[in-house]
Short mmCIF file of all heavy atoms in Angstrom, two decimals:
data_model
loop_
_atom_site.label_atom_id
_atom_site.label_comp_id
_atom_site.label_asym_id
_atom_site.label_seq_id
_atom_site.Cartn_x
_atom_site.Cartn_y
_atom_site.Cartn_z
N MET A 1056 -13.67 -10.71 8.65
CA MET A 1056 -13.15 -9.38 8.87
C MET A 1056 -14.31 -8.40 8.81
O MET A 1056 -15.13 -8.46 7.90
CB MET A 1056 -12.12 -9.04 7.77
CG MET A 1056 -11.73 -7.60 7.74
SD MET A 1056 -10.76 -6.96 6.35
CE MET A 1056 -9.92 -8.31 5.66
N GLN A 1057 -14.35 -7.53 9.77
CA GLN A 1057 -15.35 -6.47 9.71
C GLN A 1057 -14.76 -5.31 8.93
O GLN A 1057 -13.59 -4.99 9.06
CB GLN A 1057 -15.72 -6.02 11.12
CG GLN A 1057 -16.45 -7.06 11.91
CD GLN A 1057 -16.86 -6.51 13.27
OE1 GLN A 1057 -16.55 -5.38 13.62
NE2 GLN A 1057 -17.58 -7.32 14.02
N MET A 1058 -15.59 -4.72 8.11
CA MET A 1058 -15.10 -3.62 7.28
C MET A 1058 -15.39 -2.31 8.01
O MET A 1058 -16.43 -1.70 7.84
CB MET A 1058 -15.79 -3.67 5.92
CG MET A 1058 -15.40 -4.90 5.13
SD MET A 1058 -16.17 -5.02 3.52
CE MET A 1058 -17.83 -5.50 3.98
N ASN A 1059 -14.46 -1.92 8.87
CA ASN A 1059 -14.60 -0.69 9.64
C ASN A 1059 -13.25 0.02 9.68
O ASN A 1059 -12.28 -0.42 9.09
CB ASN A 1059 -15.13 -0.98 11.05
CG ASN A 1059 -14.27 -1.95 11.82
OD1 ASN A 1059 -13.07 -2.04 11.60
ND2 ASN A 1059 -14.88 -2.69 12.72
N ARG A 1060 -13.20 1.10 10.42
CA ARG A 1060 -11.99 1.91 10.46
C ARG A 1060 -10.80 1.14 11.05
O ARG A 1060 -9.67 1.28 10.57
CB ARG A 1060 -12.24 3.19 11.26
CG ARG A 1060 -11.04 4.12 11.27
CD ARG A 1060 -11.43 5.49 11.80
NE ARG A 1060 -10.30 6.35 11.94
CZ ARG A 1060 -9.67 6.98 10.96
NH1 ARG A 1060 -10.08 6.80 9.72
NH2 ARG A 1060 -8.64 7.75 11.18
N GLN A 1061 -11.04 0.33 12.07
CA GLN A 1061 -9.94 -0.43 12.66
C GLN A 1061 -9.37 -1.43 11.67
O GLN A 1061 -8.15 -1.60 11.57
CB GLN A 1061 -10.40 -1.14 13.93
CG GLN A 1061 -10.67 -0.18 15.07
CD GLN A 1061 -11.23 -0.89 16.28
OE1 GLN A 1061 -11.92 -1.89 16.16
NE2 GLN A 1061 -10.93 -0.35 17.45
N SER A 1062 -10.25 -2.10 10.94
CA SER A 1062 -9.79 -3.05 9.92
C SER A 1062 -9.05 -2.33 8.81
O SER A 1062 -8.02 -2.81 8.31
CB SER A 1062 -10.97 -3.82 9.33
OG SER A 1062 -11.61 -4.56 10.32
N TYR A 1063 -9.58 -1.20 8.43
CA TYR A 1063 -8.95 -0.39 7.38
C TYR A 1063 -7.52 -0.04 7.77
O TYR A 1063 -6.59 -0.22 6.99
CB TYR A 1063 -9.79 0.87 7.15
CG TYR A 1063 -9.04 2.06 6.60
CD1 TYR A 1063 -8.65 2.09 5.26
CD2 TYR A 1063 -8.72 3.15 7.40
CE1 TYR A 1063 -7.95 3.19 4.75
CE2 TYR A 1063 -8.02 4.23 6.91
CZ TYR A 1063 -7.65 4.25 5.59
OH TYR A 1063 -6.96 5.31 5.07
N LEU A 1064 -7.33 0.45 9.00
CA LEU A 1064 -6.00 0.84 9.44
C LEU A 1064 -5.06 -0.36 9.55
O LEU A 1064 -3.88 -0.27 9.21
CB LEU A 1064 -6.08 1.58 10.78
CG LEU A 1064 -6.75 2.96 10.71
CD1 LEU A 1064 -6.95 3.53 12.11
CD2 LEU A 1064 -5.95 3.91 9.85
N ALA A 1065 -5.59 -1.49 10.00
CA ALA A 1065 -4.77 -2.70 10.12
C ALA A 1065 -4.30 -3.17 8.74
O ALA A 1065 -3.12 -3.49 8.55
CB ALA A 1065 -5.55 -3.79 10.83
N VAL A 1066 -5.21 -3.19 7.78
CA VAL A 1066 -4.86 -3.65 6.43
C VAL A 1066 -3.94 -2.64 5.75
O VAL A 1066 -2.98 -3.01 5.06
CB VAL A 1066 -6.13 -3.91 5.60
CG1 VAL A 1066 -5.80 -4.22 4.16
CG2 VAL A 1066 -6.94 -5.04 6.22
N LEU A 1067 -4.18 -1.36 5.97
CA LEU A 1067 -3.32 -0.31 5.42
C LEU A 1067 -1.89 -0.49 5.94
O LEU A 1067 -0.93 -0.44 5.16
CB LEU A 1067 -3.87 1.06 5.83
CG LEU A 1067 -3.26 2.28 5.16
CD1 LEU A 1067 -3.81 2.40 3.74
CD2 LEU A 1067 -3.59 3.52 5.95
N ASN A 1068 -1.75 -0.76 7.23
CA ASN A 1068 -0.43 -0.96 7.81
C ASN A 1068 0.21 -2.26 7.33
O ASN A 1068 1.44 -2.33 7.22
CB ASN A 1068 -0.50 -0.91 9.33
CG ASN A 1068 -0.74 0.50 9.83
OD1 ASN A 1068 -0.31 1.46 9.20
ND2 ASN A 1068 -1.43 0.63 10.93
N GLU A 1069 -0.60 -3.27 7.03
CA GLU A 1069 -0.06 -4.50 6.44
C GLU A 1069 0.62 -4.18 5.10
O GLU A 1069 1.70 -4.69 4.81
CB GLU A 1069 -1.17 -5.52 6.16
CG GLU A 1069 -1.65 -6.30 7.33
CD GLU A 1069 -2.75 -7.27 6.91
OE1 GLU A 1069 -2.77 -7.73 5.75
OE2 GLU A 1069 -3.60 -7.57 7.76
N GLY A 1070 -0.05 -3.36 4.30
CA GLY A 1070 0.51 -2.98 3.00
C GLY A 1070 1.79 -2.19 3.15
O GLY A 1070 2.76 -2.39 2.41
N LYS A 1071 1.81 -1.27 4.12
CA LYS A 1071 3.02 -0.48 4.35
C LYS A 1071 4.17 -1.38 4.80
O LYS A 1071 5.30 -1.23 4.34
CB LYS A 1071 2.75 0.59 5.41
CG LYS A 1071 1.86 1.71 4.92
CD LYS A 1071 1.59 2.73 6.02
CE LYS A 1071 0.69 3.84 5.53
NZ LYS A 1071 0.41 4.83 6.59
N ALA A 1072 3.87 -2.32 5.68
CA ALA A 1072 4.90 -3.24 6.16
C ALA A 1072 5.41 -4.12 5.02
O ALA A 1072 6.61 -4.44 4.95
CB ALA A 1072 4.34 -4.09 7.29
N ALA A 1073 4.53 -4.50 4.13
CA ALA A 1073 4.93 -5.33 3.00
C ALA A 1073 5.90 -4.57 2.10
O ALA A 1073 6.91 -5.13 1.64
CB ALA A 1073 3.71 -5.77 2.20
N PHE A 1074 5.63 -3.31 1.86
CA PHE A 1074 6.56 -2.52 1.04
C PHE A 1074 7.90 -2.41 1.73
O PHE A 1074 8.95 -2.58 1.11
CB PHE A 1074 6.02 -1.11 0.76
CG PHE A 1074 6.99 -0.28 -0.02
CD1 PHE A 1074 7.08 -0.41 -1.39
CD2 PHE A 1074 7.85 0.60 0.62
CE1 PHE A 1074 8.01 0.33 -2.11
CE2 PHE A 1074 8.78 1.34 -0.10
CZ PHE A 1074 8.85 1.21 -1.47
N THR A 1075 7.88 -2.15 3.03
CA THR A 1075 9.12 -1.99 3.78
C THR A 1075 9.95 -3.26 3.77
O THR A 1075 11.18 -3.21 3.76
CB THR A 1075 8.84 -1.60 5.24
OG1 THR A 1075 7.71 -0.75 5.31
CG2 THR A 1075 9.99 -0.84 5.84
N SER A 1076 9.28 -4.40 3.76
CA SER A 1076 10.01 -5.67 3.74
C SER A 1076 10.43 -6.08 2.33
O SER A 1076 11.06 -7.12 2.14
CB SER A 1076 9.19 -6.78 4.39
OG SER A 1076 8.06 -7.09 3.60
N GLY A 1077 10.05 -5.28 1.32
CA GLY A 1077 10.50 -5.53 -0.04
C GLY A 1077 9.54 -6.32 -0.91
O GLY A 1077 9.89 -6.72 -2.01
N ASP A 1078 8.32 -6.54 -0.43
CA ASP A 1078 7.35 -7.28 -1.24
C ASP A 1078 6.85 -6.42 -2.40
O ASP A 1078 6.63 -5.22 -2.24
CB ASP A 1078 6.15 -7.69 -0.39
CG ASP A 1078 6.50 -8.76 0.63
OD1 ASP A 1078 7.55 -9.40 0.48
OD2 ASP A 1078 5.72 -8.94 1.58
N PRO A 1079 6.64 -7.02 -3.58
CA PRO A 1079 6.08 -6.26 -4.71
C PRO A 1079 4.58 -6.02 -4.49
O PRO A 1079 3.95 -6.68 -3.67
CB PRO A 1079 6.32 -7.18 -5.90
CG PRO A 1079 6.37 -8.55 -5.32
CD PRO A 1079 6.96 -8.39 -3.95
N SER A 1080 4.04 -5.09 -5.23
CA SER A 1080 2.63 -4.76 -5.04
C SER A 1080 1.69 -5.91 -5.40
O SER A 1080 0.57 -5.97 -4.89
CB SER A 1080 2.26 -3.52 -5.86
OG SER A 1080 2.40 -3.80 -7.24
N ASP A 1081 2.12 -6.82 -6.24
CA ASP A 1081 1.25 -7.93 -6.60
C ASP A 1081 1.32 -9.08 -5.61
O ASP A 1081 0.74 -10.14 -5.83
CB ASP A 1081 1.53 -8.42 -8.03
CG ASP A 1081 2.95 -8.93 -8.21
OD1 ASP A 1081 3.76 -8.83 -7.26
OD2 ASP A 1081 3.24 -9.43 -9.30
N ALA A 1082 1.99 -8.87 -4.48
CA ALA A 1082 2.05 -9.88 -3.42
C ALA A 1082 0.89 -9.74 -2.44
O ALA A 1082 0.90 -10.34 -1.38
CB ALA A 1082 3.38 -9.77 -2.67
N CYS A 1083 -0.08 -8.97 -2.80
CA CYS A 1083 -1.24 -8.72 -1.93
C CYS A 1083 -1.95 -10.03 -1.59
O CYS A 1083 -2.27 -10.81 -2.49
CB CYS A 1083 -2.22 -7.78 -2.62
SG CYS A 1083 -3.68 -7.42 -1.65
N PRO A 1084 -2.19 -10.29 -0.30
CA PRO A 1084 -2.84 -11.54 0.09
C PRO A 1084 -4.36 -11.54 -0.11
O PRO A 1084 -5.01 -12.54 0.17
CB PRO A 1084 -2.49 -11.66 1.58
CG PRO A 1084 -2.34 -10.24 2.03
CD PRO A 1084 -1.76 -9.51 0.85
N TYR A 1085 -4.90 -10.43 -0.59
CA TYR A 1085 -6.35 -10.33 -0.78
C TYR A 1085 -6.70 -10.42 -2.26
O TYR A 1085 -5.91 -10.04 -3.13
CB TYR A 1085 -6.87 -9.01 -0.20
CG TYR A 1085 -6.56 -8.89 1.28
CD1 TYR A 1085 -5.47 -8.16 1.73
CD2 TYR A 1085 -7.36 -9.52 2.22
CE1 TYR A 1085 -5.18 -8.06 3.08
CE2 TYR A 1085 -7.08 -9.43 3.57
CZ TYR A 1085 -5.98 -8.69 3.99
OH TYR A 1085 -5.70 -8.61 5.33
N ASP A 1086 -7.90 -10.88 -2.54
CA ASP A 1086 -8.35 -11.11 -3.91
C ASP A 1086 -9.16 -9.92 -4.41
O ASP A 1086 -10.19 -9.58 -3.83
CB ASP A 1086 -9.18 -12.39 -3.97
CG ASP A 1086 -9.60 -12.76 -5.37
OD1 ASP A 1086 -9.10 -12.16 -6.34
OD2 ASP A 1086 -10.45 -13.67 -5.50
N ARG A 1087 -8.70 -9.33 -5.49
CA ARG A 1087 -9.40 -8.16 -6.06
C ARG A 1087 -10.79 -8.52 -6.55
O ARG A 1087 -11.71 -7.70 -6.53
CB ARG A 1087 -8.57 -7.61 -7.23
CG ARG A 1087 -9.17 -6.40 -7.89
CD ARG A 1087 -8.24 -5.83 -8.94
NE ARG A 1087 -7.98 -6.72 -10.04
CZ ARG A 1087 -8.70 -6.74 -11.18
NH1 ARG A 1087 -9.68 -5.89 -11.35
NH2 ARG A 1087 -8.40 -7.59 -12.13
N LEU A 1088 -10.97 -9.75 -6.99
CA LEU A 1088 -12.25 -10.16 -7.55
C LEU A 1088 -13.07 -11.02 -6.58
O LEU A 1088 -14.08 -11.59 -6.97
CB LEU A 1088 -12.03 -10.93 -8.86
CG LEU A 1088 -11.27 -10.16 -9.93
CD1 LEU A 1088 -10.99 -11.05 -11.12
CD2 LEU A 1088 -12.02 -8.92 -10.34
N GLY A 1089 -12.63 -11.09 -5.33
CA GLY A 1089 -13.32 -11.91 -4.34
C GLY A 1089 -14.57 -11.24 -3.80
O GLY A 1089 -15.11 -10.29 -4.39
N ASP A 1090 -15.01 -11.72 -2.65
CA ASP A 1090 -16.19 -11.14 -2.02
C ASP A 1090 -15.85 -9.74 -1.48
O ASP A 1090 -14.75 -9.25 -1.63
CB ASP A 1090 -16.72 -12.07 -0.92
CG ASP A 1090 -15.72 -12.30 0.20
OD1 ASP A 1090 -14.64 -11.67 0.19
OD2 ASP A 1090 -16.02 -13.12 1.09
N ALA A 1091 -16.82 -9.11 -0.86
CA ALA A 1091 -16.66 -7.73 -0.40
C ALA A 1091 -15.49 -7.58 0.57
O ALA A 1091 -14.75 -6.60 0.50
CB ALA A 1091 -17.95 -7.23 0.23
N GLU A 1092 -15.31 -8.53 1.47
CA GLU A 1092 -14.21 -8.44 2.42
C GLU A 1092 -12.85 -8.56 1.73
O GLU A 1092 -11.91 -7.86 2.10
CB GLU A 1092 -14.36 -9.51 3.50
CG GLU A 1092 -15.53 -9.25 4.43
CD GLU A 1092 -15.67 -10.31 5.50
OE1 GLU A 1092 -14.94 -11.33 5.45
OE2 GLU A 1092 -16.51 -10.12 6.38
N GLN A 1093 -12.75 -9.44 0.75
CA GLN A 1093 -11.51 -9.58 0.00
C GLN A 1093 -11.21 -8.32 -0.80
O GLN A 1093 -10.06 -7.86 -0.86
CB GLN A 1093 -11.58 -10.80 -0.93
CG GLN A 1093 -11.48 -12.12 -0.22
CD GLN A 1093 -10.10 -12.35 0.35
OE1 GLN A 1093 -9.10 -12.20 -0.33
NE2 GLN A 1093 -10.05 -12.74 1.61
N GLN A 1094 -12.23 -7.73 -1.41
CA GLN A 1094 -12.04 -6.50 -2.17
C GLN A 1094 -11.63 -5.36 -1.25
O GLN A 1094 -10.78 -4.53 -1.60
CB GLN A 1094 -13.32 -6.15 -2.93
CG GLN A 1094 -13.61 -7.10 -4.06
CD GLN A 1094 -14.91 -6.77 -4.76
OE1 GLN A 1094 -15.50 -5.71 -4.59
NE2 GLN A 1094 -15.39 -7.71 -5.57
N PHE A 1095 -12.23 -5.30 -0.07
CA PHE A 1095 -11.88 -4.30 0.94
C PHE A 1095 -10.40 -4.44 1.30
O PHE A 1095 -9.64 -3.46 1.30
CB PHE A 1095 -12.77 -4.53 2.17
CG PHE A 1095 -12.46 -3.64 3.34
CD1 PHE A 1095 -13.04 -2.38 3.46
CD2 PHE A 1095 -11.63 -4.07 4.36
CE1 PHE A 1095 -12.78 -1.58 4.55
CE2 PHE A 1095 -11.36 -3.27 5.46
CZ PHE A 1095 -11.94 -2.02 5.55
N GLY A 1096 -9.98 -5.67 1.61
CA GLY A 1096 -8.58 -5.91 1.95
C GLY A 1096 -7.64 -5.56 0.81
O GLY A 1096 -6.59 -4.94 1.02
N TYR A 1097 -8.02 -5.94 -0.40
CA TYR A 1097 -7.20 -5.65 -1.58
C TYR A 1097 -7.02 -4.14 -1.76
O TYR A 1097 -5.92 -3.65 -1.97
CB TYR A 1097 -7.83 -6.26 -2.82
CG TYR A 1097 -7.07 -5.99 -4.09
CD1 TYR A 1097 -6.00 -6.80 -4.46
CD2 TYR A 1097 -7.40 -4.93 -4.93
CE1 TYR A 1097 -5.28 -6.56 -5.62
CE2 TYR A 1097 -6.69 -4.68 -6.09
CZ TYR A 1097 -5.64 -5.50 -6.43
OH TYR A 1097 -4.93 -5.24 -7.57
N ARG A 1098 -8.12 -3.42 -1.68
CA ARG A 1098 -8.09 -1.97 -1.91
C ARG A 1098 -7.18 -1.27 -0.91
O ARG A 1098 -6.32 -0.48 -1.27
CB ARG A 1098 -9.50 -1.40 -1.82
CG ARG A 1098 -9.54 0.12 -1.95
CD ARG A 1098 -10.95 0.67 -1.86
NE ARG A 1098 -11.75 0.14 -2.95
CZ ARG A 1098 -12.90 -0.52 -2.78
NH1 ARG A 1098 -13.38 -0.74 -1.59
NH2 ARG A 1098 -13.57 -0.96 -3.82
N TYR A 1099 -7.35 -1.58 0.38
CA TYR A 1099 -6.61 -0.84 1.39
C TYR A 1099 -5.20 -1.38 1.60
O TYR A 1099 -4.31 -0.63 1.99
CB TYR A 1099 -7.42 -0.77 2.68
CG TYR A 1099 -8.65 0.08 2.43
CD1 TYR A 1099 -9.92 -0.47 2.46
CD2 TYR A 1099 -8.53 1.42 2.09
CE1 TYR A 1099 -11.04 0.29 2.19
CE2 TYR A 1099 -9.64 2.20 1.81
CZ TYR A 1099 -10.89 1.63 1.87
OH TYR A 1099 -11.99 2.39 1.58
N TRP A 1100 -4.95 -2.65 1.31
CA TRP A 1100 -3.59 -3.17 1.37
C TRP A 1100 -2.76 -2.47 0.28
O TRP A 1100 -1.66 -2.01 0.55
CB TRP A 1100 -3.59 -4.68 1.13
CG TRP A 1100 -2.26 -5.33 1.34
CD1 TRP A 1100 -1.83 -5.93 2.48
CD2 TRP A 1100 -1.20 -5.47 0.38
NE1 TRP A 1100 -0.56 -6.43 2.29
CE2 TRP A 1100 -0.15 -6.17 1.01
CE3 TRP A 1100 -1.05 -5.09 -0.95
CZ2 TRP A 1100 1.04 -6.47 0.36
CZ3 TRP A 1100 0.15 -5.39 -1.59
CH2 TRP A 1100 1.17 -6.08 -0.94
N ASN A 1101 -3.32 -2.37 -0.91
CA ASN A 1101 -2.60 -1.70 -2.01
C ASN A 1101 -2.44 -0.22 -1.75
O ASN A 1101 -1.43 0.38 -2.12
CB ASN A 1101 -3.31 -1.95 -3.34
CG ASN A 1101 -2.89 -3.27 -3.94
OD1 ASN A 1101 -1.71 -3.54 -4.08
ND2 ASN A 1101 -3.86 -4.10 -4.26
N ARG A 1102 -3.43 0.39 -1.12
CA ARG A 1102 -3.31 1.81 -0.80
C ARG A 1102 -2.16 2.02 0.20
O ARG A 1102 -1.37 2.95 0.06
CB ARG A 1102 -4.62 2.34 -0.21
CG ARG A 1102 -4.56 3.84 0.05
CD ARG A 1102 -5.89 4.40 0.45
NE ARG A 1102 -6.80 4.37 -0.69
CZ ARG A 1102 -8.07 4.70 -0.63
NH1 ARG A 1102 -8.62 5.06 0.51
NH2 ARG A 1102 -8.83 4.66 -1.71
N GLY A 1103 -2.05 1.15 1.20
CA GLY A 1103 -0.95 1.24 2.16
C GLY A 1103 0.39 1.02 1.49
O GLY A 1103 1.37 1.73 1.76
N TRP A 1104 0.46 0.04 0.59
CA TRP A 1104 1.70 -0.24 -0.13
C TRP A 1104 2.10 0.98 -0.95
O TRP A 1104 3.26 1.39 -0.95
CB TRP A 1104 1.51 -1.46 -1.03
CG TRP A 1104 2.76 -1.98 -1.63
CD1 TRP A 1104 3.55 -2.96 -1.14
CD2 TRP A 1104 3.39 -1.53 -2.85
NE1 TRP A 1104 4.63 -3.16 -1.96
CE2 TRP A 1104 4.55 -2.30 -3.02
CE3 TRP A 1104 3.06 -0.57 -3.79
CZ2 TRP A 1104 5.40 -2.12 -4.10
CZ3 TRP A 1104 3.91 -0.39 -4.87
CH2 TRP A 1104 5.07 -1.16 -5.02
N ALA A 1105 1.14 1.58 -1.64
CA ALA A 1105 1.42 2.74 -2.49
C ALA A 1105 1.84 3.95 -1.65
O ALA A 1105 2.72 4.71 -2.04
CB ALA A 1105 0.21 3.08 -3.34
N GLU A 1106 1.21 4.14 -0.49
CA GLU A 1106 1.59 5.26 0.38
C GLU A 1106 3.03 5.10 0.85
O GLU A 1106 3.79 6.07 0.87
CB GLU A 1106 0.65 5.34 1.59
CG GLU A 1106 -0.69 5.93 1.29
CD GLU A 1106 -1.58 6.02 2.53
OE1 GLU A 1106 -1.07 5.88 3.67
OE2 GLU A 1106 -2.79 6.22 2.36
N ALA A 1107 3.39 3.88 1.24
CA ALA A 1107 4.76 3.63 1.70
C ALA A 1107 5.75 3.87 0.56
O ALA A 1107 6.83 4.44 0.79
CB ALA A 1107 4.88 2.21 2.22
N ARG A 1108 5.39 3.49 -0.64
CA ARG A 1108 6.27 3.71 -1.79
C ARG A 1108 6.44 5.19 -2.07
O ARG A 1108 7.54 5.67 -2.33
CB ARG A 1108 5.70 3.01 -3.02
CG ARG A 1108 6.52 3.22 -4.25
CD ARG A 1108 5.92 2.53 -5.43
NE ARG A 1108 6.65 2.87 -6.63
CZ ARG A 1108 6.25 2.56 -7.84
NH1 ARG A 1108 5.15 1.88 -8.02
NH2 ARG A 1108 6.96 2.92 -8.89
N THR A 1109 5.34 5.94 -2.00
CA THR A 1109 5.39 7.38 -2.24
C THR A 1109 6.27 8.08 -1.22
O THR A 1109 7.08 8.93 -1.57
CB THR A 1109 3.97 7.97 -2.20
OG1 THR A 1109 3.17 7.32 -3.19
CG2 THR A 1109 3.97 9.46 -2.45
N ILE A 1110 6.14 7.68 0.04
CA ILE A 1110 6.96 8.27 1.10
C ILE A 1110 8.43 7.94 0.87
O ILE A 1110 9.31 8.80 1.01
CB ILE A 1110 6.48 7.79 2.48
CG1 ILE A 1110 5.10 8.39 2.78
CG2 ILE A 1110 7.47 8.14 3.57
CD1 ILE A 1110 4.40 7.77 3.97
N ALA A 1111 8.71 6.70 0.50
CA ALA A 1111 10.10 6.29 0.26
C ALA A 1111 10.69 7.05 -0.93
O ALA A 1111 11.86 7.48 -0.88
CB ALA A 1111 10.17 4.79 0.00
N GLU A 1112 9.91 7.22 -1.98
CA GLU A 1112 10.43 7.94 -3.15
C GLU A 1112 10.64 9.42 -2.86
O GLU A 1112 11.57 10.03 -3.35
CB GLU A 1112 9.48 7.78 -4.33
CG GLU A 1112 9.50 6.39 -4.92
CD GLU A 1112 8.46 6.19 -6.01
OE1 GLU A 1112 7.57 7.06 -6.18
OE2 GLU A 1112 8.55 5.17 -6.71
N ALA A 1113 9.77 10.00 -2.04
CA ALA A 1113 9.90 11.41 -1.70
C ALA A 1113 11.09 11.67 -0.80
O ALA A 1113 11.67 12.76 -0.83
CB ALA A 1113 8.62 11.90 -1.03
N SER A 1114 11.47 10.68 -0.02
CA SER A 1114 12.59 10.88 0.90
C SER A 1114 13.94 10.62 0.25
O SER A 1114 14.97 10.90 0.84
CB SER A 1114 12.44 9.99 2.13
OG SER A 1114 12.54 8.63 1.76
N GLU A 1115 13.94 10.09 -0.97
CA GLU A 1115 15.21 9.88 -1.68
C GLU A 1115 15.75 11.23 -2.13
O GLU A 1115 15.01 12.06 -2.67
CB GLU A 1115 15.00 8.98 -2.89
CG GLU A 1115 14.67 7.56 -2.55
CD GLU A 1115 14.40 6.70 -3.78
OE1 GLU A 1115 14.50 7.22 -4.91
OE2 GLU A 1115 14.09 5.52 -3.59
N PRO A 1116 17.04 11.45 -1.95
CA PRO A 1116 17.60 12.74 -2.38
C PRO A 1116 17.62 12.86 -3.90
O PRO A 1116 17.83 11.87 -4.60
CB PRO A 1116 19.03 12.72 -1.81
CG PRO A 1116 19.33 11.28 -1.60
CD PRO A 1116 18.00 10.58 -1.34
N GLU A 1117 17.37 14.04 -4.35
CA GLU A 1117 17.44 14.32 -5.79
C GLU A 1117 18.90 14.33 -6.22
O GLU A 1117 19.76 14.81 -5.49
CB GLU A 1117 16.81 15.67 -6.10
CG GLU A 1117 15.31 15.73 -5.88
CD GLU A 1117 14.56 14.95 -6.92
OE1 GLU A 1117 14.97 14.92 -8.10
OE2 GLU A 1117 13.54 14.34 -6.54
N PRO A 1118 19.20 13.81 -7.40
CA PRO A 1118 20.59 13.87 -7.85
C PRO A 1118 21.00 15.33 -8.08
O PRO A 1118 20.19 16.15 -8.53
CB PRO A 1118 20.58 13.09 -9.16
CG PRO A 1118 19.17 12.92 -9.54
CD PRO A 1118 18.33 13.13 -8.31
N ALA A 1119 22.23 15.63 -7.75
CA ALA A 1119 22.72 17.00 -7.92
C ALA A 1119 22.81 17.33 -9.40
O ALA A 1119 23.26 16.53 -10.22
CB ALA A 1119 24.10 17.14 -7.27
N THR A 1120 22.36 18.49 -9.74
CA THR A 1120 22.47 18.93 -11.13
C THR A 1120 23.81 19.61 -11.33
O THR A 1120 24.30 20.30 -10.45
CB THR A 1120 21.32 19.89 -11.50
OG1 THR A 1120 21.35 20.99 -10.62
CG2 THR A 1120 19.98 19.20 -11.39
N THR A 1121 24.37 19.41 -12.48
CA THR A 1121 25.64 20.06 -12.79
C THR A 1121 25.45 20.99 -13.97
O THR A 1121 24.57 20.78 -14.81
CB THR A 1121 26.72 19.01 -13.12
OG1 THR A 1121 26.26 18.24 -14.25
CG2 THR A 1121 26.97 18.08 -11.96
N THR A 1122 26.26 22.00 -14.00
CA THR A 1122 26.17 22.95 -15.09
C THR A 1122 27.07 22.60 -16.25
O THR A 1122 27.02 23.22 -17.29
CB THR A 1122 26.53 24.38 -14.59
OG1 THR A 1122 27.85 24.35 -14.09
CG2 THR A 1122 25.55 24.83 -13.52
N GLY A 1123 27.94 21.62 -16.05
CA GLY A 1123 28.83 21.21 -17.12
C GLY A 1123 30.07 22.07 -17.23
O GLY A 1123 30.79 22.04 -18.20
N GLN A 1124 30.31 22.90 -16.26
CA GLN A 1124 31.50 23.78 -16.31
C GLN A 1124 32.64 23.19 -15.56
O GLN A 1124 32.63 22.65 -14.57
CB GLN A 1124 31.17 25.15 -15.74
CG GLN A 1124 30.15 25.84 -16.58
CD GLN A 1124 29.80 27.21 -16.00
OE1 GLN A 1124 30.35 27.63 -14.99
NE2 GLN A 1124 28.89 27.90 -16.64
#
């Protein structure tokens, strides 16, 4: 894998797709402690997963507050 912008976007989208399909964040196919390419994949796959999670959480409606009356 070349570590460039195209690879970054591909791995980022892999992470987003993994979140959408219900995979947990520790299902990352890249090794955090591996060589530079594995670390690159790990970093950006997790970043994509986290971005997808943040978007999903932000789009959830807030529960209605009640005044108790």
Side-chain angles (χ1 to χ4, degrees):
M1056 168 190 337
Q1057 293 183 357
M1058 294 180 285
N1059 57 28
R1060 183 167 175 76
Q1061 290 176 329
S1062 298
Y1063 154 75
L1064 292 172
V1066 173
L1067 190 76
N1068 288 329
E1069 281 180 29
K1071 289 178 180 180
F1074 177 81
T1075 324
S1076 68
D1078 291 343
S1080 64
D1081 61 355
C1083 180
Y1085 301 99
D1086 184 11
R1087 181 175 63 92
L1088 302 175
D1090 62 5
E1092 290 180 353
Q1093 286 291 311
Q1094 290 177 14
F1095 176 87
Y1097 179 84
R1098 176 180 298 124
Y1099 294 113
W1100 188 94
N1101 276 308
R1102 184 172 291 174
W1104 190 93
E1106 283 181 15
R1108 178 180 174 190
T1109 302
I1110 291 168
E1112 288 175 348
S1114 66
E1115 291 177 1
E1117 292 289 324
T1120 57
T1121 59
T1122 60
Q1124 295 179 2

